[in-house]
Amino acid sequence: MSVDLSQFIPSFLEESFEGLEIMESGLLNLKPGDNEVIHSIFRAAHSIKGGAGTFGFENVTDFTHLVETLLDEMRDGRREITKEDTEILLESVDCMRLLIEAARDGEDYDSEKIESTSKRLTITLGEGCARDESSESEQAQQASHNAQYHINFVPEHCLAKTGNDPLFLFNALTELGNLSLAANTSELPALTDIDPQELYLSWQLTLETDASEDDIKEIFEWVEDECLLEITQQAAPNTNTNTPAEANSTDELPVETTKQPEQQAAVDKDDASTNVSEQDKAKAKSKAKSDVGSIRVGVDKVDSLINLVGELVITQSMLSELGSDFHMSKIEKLTSGLEQLLQNTKELQESVMRIRMLSISFAFNRFPRLVHDLSIKTGKEVELVIKGEQTELDKTVMEQIGDPLVHLVRNAVDHGIEPAEVRIAAGKKQQGTISLDAYHQGGNIVIEISDDGGGIDRNAVFNKALEKGLVESNASLSDSQVYDLLFEPGFSTASEVTDISGRGVGMDVVKRNIQALGGRIQVESTKGQGSTFKVNLPLTLAILDGQLVKVGSETYIIPLISIVESLQIDKELLNRVSGDMVLYRLRDDNVPILPIYQLFNLETDFTELDNALLVVVEADGQKVGLMVDDLLAQQQVVIKSLKDNYQQVAGVSGATILGDGSVAMILDIPGMIQMALNNAQHAQTLQTKASYGELMS
């Protein structure tokens, strides 16, 4: 029986991406003398190379070998850490990511980019020849071996079950020097008693090498918790004869012939199991693609969930016992049990939701590299400060907020931070600062992108809007209303187009994507001091805090995040304008009134505006009053997609099932405001045509 190694490919891919993040983060912070950092980068590259070799991803192995060689020279002190070498290594990390993504998705990759970077690495290493000539350097290395290590390797019997094959370890050791070994068969049972998934052998190895003991330990790092490993060093013999170490009850075997018929299945030495077939690779890649949506969950969260399920089972058992022989004397116990069930269900819901919550550092981790590359491209010195990276956010929200944040950070570097000479002339530090911060506020999360640059020129934005016909010349706009113009499609104040920004494309998409998540974006800026973009998002897209309202016979849910206030209409504050639109004077604002019963063609007894209930909501900087029959409770509701289960409906963002089993629609506030504006515009057009017709007659 052989172990199907293809089942471990998804895990390898996931760990490889984590290793790439370690490499990139380390390289961005690498300074001369940072030995521990360069060691961690090397270990990550070494693990990726070893895993790729195990699963037959030769292109990953070959490319990473060059990266590993350059890192090895750095950590051994044979090469100084320079900015140029760091840049080529960062580019190499990008190439490794391309190769691993191609392995995951079963797709082609940019071979020209890989080849170009390989040549740069080769030139940097001073090899001056193709990798096919590497055997000559290996022979030269073997000639200079000056140390001999005795290695006692006793793996646990279950080692093979985890996909680890000692043969791979031995092959890796041969790359360090001359290896000989002897297998200890003393624990090998009779043939009839062998478990094909167990490993019964142990080994005594002798390695002649000029590598360090740490290099040897790194080869065993994947199995260090599943074996006994003893490494001792002594001077190498002055002979080229390989003499294996003596061991009690051992049979001496050269590394090429370590197979034993009885042990073959246990350690998977046959070609069919050590080489992952193309069919297995394709199957594993398909599984890897389907596993992209997986997340890692802390043990504490799983333990909490298990405990809550246990409490739920106890409560259910108690209620079942009451139900089997119920009479009125048990009503108090029944009420208590139902309250306990409600509490358990609520805690279970919260616990399940916490499983989906991930640290926002998963989204923030891409920005150090982004700012580093943009700094080089723009010639500006920019420091990135990250705060609140442990703030948790729903995985789905985090995946969709990544691109909008990239746009905002790119604009902060390109438009926000001034060139060095301008900053110095203004009395600022030459180096600009961009800050990323995340924190909870109420039931939402706020992400702030700030810079200490020149700020937004209010007059320039207003004049550009005037030029595009977005505002009237006599319009009186607040600062926030002027800054909102930045999110109009095609709007840009850049004096020239660059490959970073300035085409007027992106900021409107940013706002649209944030709104699609049920969030909003605000801009604050002080000329000469900098700007702050605040993104306010719900913690999760699966659950919504809502206000239940009654209109006719229907129940609707208004997201609490959109509600400004609720009030009873005072007819003295009503004002009817053209287009049959009614405005309500709310302090300094004139708020359009939108009767929901008219919008959805519902029958209701409450059609008069006088003393009607009004829920004032806000979206996109615009307020509207929703006229309803009655205000019900506030509660959390589970969102169900209409698009997936039925079809998209204008003015409705989703649906939910209430406690009584009925279905309630969740109102799409931005969509309803747009519908109200469209209706008013249509009514105004009809009224104008009617007036024109009367005049002509």
Side-chain angles (χ1 to χ4, degrees):
M1 179 179 178
S2 63
V3 177
D4 179 13
L5 294 182
S6 66
Q7 64 183 302
F8 302 109
I9 291 180
S11 297
F12 157 71
L13 294 172
E14 185 176 357
E15 291 172 2
S16 294
F17 287 121
E18 291 177 359
L20 291 175
E21 289 183 5
I22 292 171
M23 293 179 67
E24 186 172 87
S25 175
L27 288 168
L28 289 171
N29 298 289
L30 186 61
K31 295 179 178 61
D34 287 345
N35 294 330
E36 185 57 39
V37 175
I38 200 68
H39 273 285
S40 68
I41 298 170
F42 177 86
R43 284 195 295 271
H46 182 74
S47 296
I48 292 172
K49 174 189 169 184
T54 299
F55 298 111
F57 300 126
E58 290 84 2
N59 51 1
V60 180
T61 304
D62 294 344
F63 184 87
T64 309
H65 175 72
L66 289 173
V67 178
E68 186 184 44
T69 304
L70 182 56
L71 290 168
D72 191 38
E73 292 184 3
M74 288 181 174
R75 70 177 189 143
D76 287 348
R78 288 176 282 154
R79 176 186 292 271
E80 292 184 3
I81 298 173
T82 64
K83 184 177 180 180
E84 292 74 17
D85 287 350
T86 302
E87 291 303 320
I88 184 63
L89 285 170
L90 282 170
E91 185 179 328
S92 300
V93 170
D94 293 339
C95 291
M96 291 169 64
R97 185 175 283 110
L98 283 177
L99 291 169
I100 294 172
E101 286 174 348
R104 178 195 66 192
D105 301 334
E107 298 175 352
D108 294 332
Y109 53 86
D110 188 346
S111 57
E112 291 184 4
K113 179 177 176 64
I114 304 300
E115 186 61 30
S116 173
T117 307
S118 296
K119 288 180 179 178
R120 288 187 61 191
L121 282 168
T122 302
I123 293 171
T124 302
L125 289 167
E127 293 178 355
C129 60
R131 278 169 287 165
D132 294 338
E133 299 174 23
S134 61
S135 59
E136 295 179 7
S137 62
E138 291 177 1
Q139 293 173 2
Q141 180 187 9
Q142 291 179 0
S144 61
H145 297 330
N146 55 22
Q148 185 180 83
Y149 293 91
H150 291 296
I151 305 168
N152 181 30
F153 175 51
V154 184
E156 294 181 1
H157 288 184
C158 63
L159 185 74
K161 292 181 179 179
T162 61
N164 292 298
D165 190 335
L167 183 59
F168 296 135
L169 304 176
F170 302 156
N171 287 337
L173 288 172
T174 60
E175 295 182 7
L176 298 181
N178 298 325
L179 177 69
S180 58
L181 56 80
N184 185 344
T185 60
S186 60
E187 294 191 22
L188 190 65
L191 183 62
T192 55
D193 298 330
I194 286 181
D195 182 344
Q197 296 190 44
E198 294 286 322
L199 185 62
Y200 301 101
L201 300 182
S202 60
W203 288 268
Q204 293 283 340
L205 305 99
T206 301
L207 177 65
E208 293 178 15
T209 179
D210 57 359
S212 67
E213 184 174 332
D214 287 340
D215 295 331
I216 299 173
K217 288 181 178 178
E218 282 179 5
I219 290 176
F220 289 93
E221 65 182 353
W222 281 12
V223 297
E224 60 184 358
D225 295 331
E226 300 175 279
C227 72
L228 169 66
L229 182 67
E230 298 174 345
I231 303 174
T232 56
Q233 179 184 358
Q234 67 181 47
N238 296 325
T239 175
N240 291 329
T241 305
N242 295 330
T243 306
E246 296 293 334
N248 293 332
S249 304
T250 62
D251 299 321
E252 183 177 329
L253 294 171
V255 70
E256 293 85 355
T257 58
T258 53
K259 283 192 290 186
Q260 291 191 19
E262 307 88 10
Q263 193 66 5
Q264 186 169 2
V267 294
D268 256 346
K269 300 277 191 310
D270 58 301
D271 292 340
S273 59
T274 56
N275 296 320
V276 183
S277 70
E278 291 302 317
Q279 183 177 0
D280 288 339
K281 276 195 210 174
K283 179 176 65 175
K285 289 171 186 174
S286 175
K287 184 176 186 297
K289 290 180 75 172
S290 65
D291 287 348
V292 170
S294 64
I295 58 175
R296 291 189 175 185
V297 179
V299 175
D300 57 328
K301 293 181 179 180
V302 176
D303 289 343
S304 173
L305 193 59
I306 292 174
N307 291 336
L308 286 170
V309 171
E311 292 292 329
L312 200 60
V313 169
I314 293 172
T315 305
Q316 184 270 335
S317 177
M318 179 186 69
L319 290 173
S320 296
E321 185 176 342
L322 283 173
S324 62
D325 184 23
F326 181 77
H327 49 81
M328 293 306 296
S329 63
K330 296 182 179 180
I331 190 68
E332 186 174 342
K333 285 187 177 181
L334 177 61
T335 302
S336 175
L338 290 173
E339 290 177 354
Q340 185 64 42
L341 179 64
L342 177 64
Q343 181 66 24
N344 289 343
T345 304
K346 184 177 180 180
E347 290 180 4
L348 183 63
Q349 173 189 322
E350 293 174 352
S351 184
V352 170
M353 292 308 303
R354 281 197 298 270
I355 287 179
R356 294 176 55 90
M357 305 296 278
L358 297 175
S359 166
I360 201 170
S361 61
F362 285 91
F364 281 2
N365 282 344
R366 72 170 72 179
F367 294 110
R369 175 66 186 282
L370 176 65
V371 171
H372 172 271
D373 291 347
L374 291 175
S375 298
I376 295 174
K377 188 172 293 187
T378 59
K380 300 176 182 178
E381 292 187 30
V382 184
E383 177 190 15
L384 178 66
V385 178
I386 295 179
K387 296 178 287 185
E389 61 266 34
Q390 295 307 314
T391 305
E392 290 191 332
L393 182 65
D394 186 276
K395 176 179 180 290
T396 305
V397 179
M398 191 178 308
E399 288 173 347
Q400 297 183 40
I401 196 59
D403 288 342
L405 292 181
V406 167
H407 278 291
L408 293 173
V409 171
R410 290 170 70 93
N411 277 329
V413 176
D414 199 30
H415 292 311
I417 302 297
E418 317 97 309
E421 60 273 14
V422 176
R423 293 182 63 86
I424 293 172
K428 296 182 178 180
K429 293 191 304 181
Q430 180 173 327
Q431 184 184 56
T433 301
I434 292 176
S435 299
L436 276 176
D437 192 9
Y439 54 89
H440 287 130
Q441 190 175 73
N444 303 303
I445 184 172
V446 178
I447 304 173
E448 291 187 0
I449 302 94
S450 306
D451 66 74
D452 65 348
I456 299 173
D457 189 333
R458 184 189 190 282
N459 293 332
V461 174
F462 184 85
N463 291 335
K464 178 63 72 170
L466 192 62
E467 177 187 320
K468 287 180 169 289
L470 298 174
V471 296
E472 299 292 337
S473 58
N474 59 350
S476 177
L477 303 179
S478 65
D479 287 347
S480 61
Q481 289 174 321
V482 171
Y483 298 148
D484 280 343
L485 295 171
L486 295 169
F487 300 100
E488 290 295 323
F491 190 93
S492 176
T493 58
S495 57
E496 61 181 87
V497 173
T498 70
D499 60 349
I500 298 175
S501 59
R503 294 180 173 83
V505 178
M507 295 302 281
D508 60 318
V509 178
V510 167
K511 186 173 184 179
R512 191 159 59 245
N513 288 350
I514 290 172
Q515 288 177 342
L517 293 171
R520 63 179 184 270
I521 183 168
Q522 300 168 286
V523 184
E524 299 173 359
S525 183
T526 303
K527 184 122 174 79
Q529 297 182 22
S531 306
T532 298
F533 289 78
K534 288 186 177 181
V535 179
N536 195 303
L537 295 166
L539 288 177
T540 176
L541 298 182
I543 289 182
L544 173 77
D545 288 318
Q547 170 70 58
L548 275 66
V549 298
K550 196 79 173 176
V551 181
S553 60
E554 300 294 330
T555 300
Y556 293 96
I557 295 170
I558 303 173
L560 279 180
I561 191 175
S562 302
I563 297 177
V564 177
E565 60 182 288
S566 301
L567 52 89
Q568 197 163 28
I569 292 177
D570 180 353
K571 66 178 180 179
E572 299 297 327
L573 299 177
L574 293 173
N575 182 24
R576 193 173 298 274
V577 295
S578 60
D580 203 30
M581 176 67 74
V582 180
L583 300 180
Y584 187 77
R585 185 68 179 173
L586 182 65
R587 293 179 288 277
D588 295 331
D589 292 329
N590 285 310
V591 179
I593 295 179
L594 181 62
I596 294 180
Y597 78 89
Q598 287 184 0
L599 188 67
F600 294 127
N601 296 319
L602 301 174
E603 292 185 2
T604 178
D605 296 331
F606 300 91
T607 58
E608 298 296 326
L609 288 174
D610 189 18
N611 291 325
L613 286 173
L614 200 66
V615 180
V616 181
V617 294
E618 183 177 20
D620 300 340
Q622 294 179 308
K623 293 179 182 177
V624 68
L626 302 178
M627 179 179 162
V628 302
D629 296 356
D630 195 10
L631 295 176
L632 305 178
Q634 293 181 2
Q635 68 180 59
Q636 285 189 332
V637 295
V638 179
I639 302 172
K640 301 294 183 182
S641 171
L642 274 185
K643 186 176 181 180
D644 293 342
N645 297 288
Y646 175 59
Q647 66 182 35
Q648 196 64 51
V649 177
V652 176
S653 61
T656 191
I657 300 175
L658 301 178
D660 61 0
S662 62
V663 176
M665 298 297 163
I666 302 169
L667 299 181
D668 174 21
I669 302 305
M672 294 191 70
I673 290 176
Q674 189 59 48
M675 290 172 66
L677 294 176
N678 293 341
N679 290 345
Q681 185 177 6
H682 180 64
Q684 176 67 37
T685 302
L686 293 177
Q687 185 176 3
T688 301
K689 288 181 178 179
S691 300
Y692 180 75
E694 291 176 2
L695 183 63
M696 293 299 293
S697 62

